[in-house]
């Protein structure tokens, strides 16, 4: 089954994670993984001092994705190499 991307993804707004439920045995939508990678890459390329609002926004979105990624074991099988991103995820 394909899941449509959430409304607002194109303009940078994030979906409310509690609106989506994925039961046992269902896969994490690739949109969650690709969103995480997109925000993580954006943080790597941002200067936190010169762009504090953008950095905070991307950080918030990463934190919002964490429960979904953790619930499906994604963070159990991937290593976060960037120390700033690892700190956001409590690793």
């Amino acid at each position: 089954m394909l899941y449509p991307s959430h409304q607002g993804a194109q303009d940078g707004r994030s979906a409310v994670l509690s609106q989506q439920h994925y039961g046992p045995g269902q896969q994490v939508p690739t949109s969650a993984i690709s969103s995480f990678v997109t925000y993580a890459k954006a943080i790597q390329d941002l200067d936190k001092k010169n762009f504090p609002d953008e950095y905070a926004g991307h950080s918030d979105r990463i934190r919002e994705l964490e429960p979904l990624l953790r619930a499906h074991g994604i963070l159990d099988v991937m290593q976060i190499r960037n120390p700033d991103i690892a700190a956001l995820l409590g690793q």
Side-chain angles (χ1 to χ4, degrees):
M1 173 179 234
L2 294 176
Y3 298 96
S5 47
H6 63 275
Q7 183 177 6
Q10 293 76 24
D11 63 1
R13 292 181 288 139
S14 61
V16 177
L17 295 178
S18 62
Q19 290 178 348
Q20 299 175 348
H21 174 73
Y22 302 101
Q26 292 181 322
Q27 298 292 322
V28 176
T30 55
S31 62
I33 297 169
S34 62
S35 293
F36 171 77
V37 171
T38 299
Y39 294 127
K41 290 276 208 192
I43 280 181
Q44 286 182 178
D45 297 333
L46 269 179
D47 182 357
K48 187 177 185 176
K49 294 176 187 170
N50 289 330
F51 301 99
D53 294 337
E54 290 86 349
Y55 192 93
H58 294 329
S59 297
D60 289 344
R61 288 179 183 92
I62 287 173
R63 281 194 218 70
E64 290 170 358
L65 289 169
E66 178 186 8
L68 182 63
L69 298 173
R70 195 167 299 285
H72 290 281
I74 300 302
L75 297 177
D76 295 332
V77 297
M78 59 188 263
Q79 179 183 16
I80 307 299
R81 295 183 294 191
N82 182 302
D84 293 336
I85 296 168
L88 289 172
L89 300 174
Q91 294 185 338

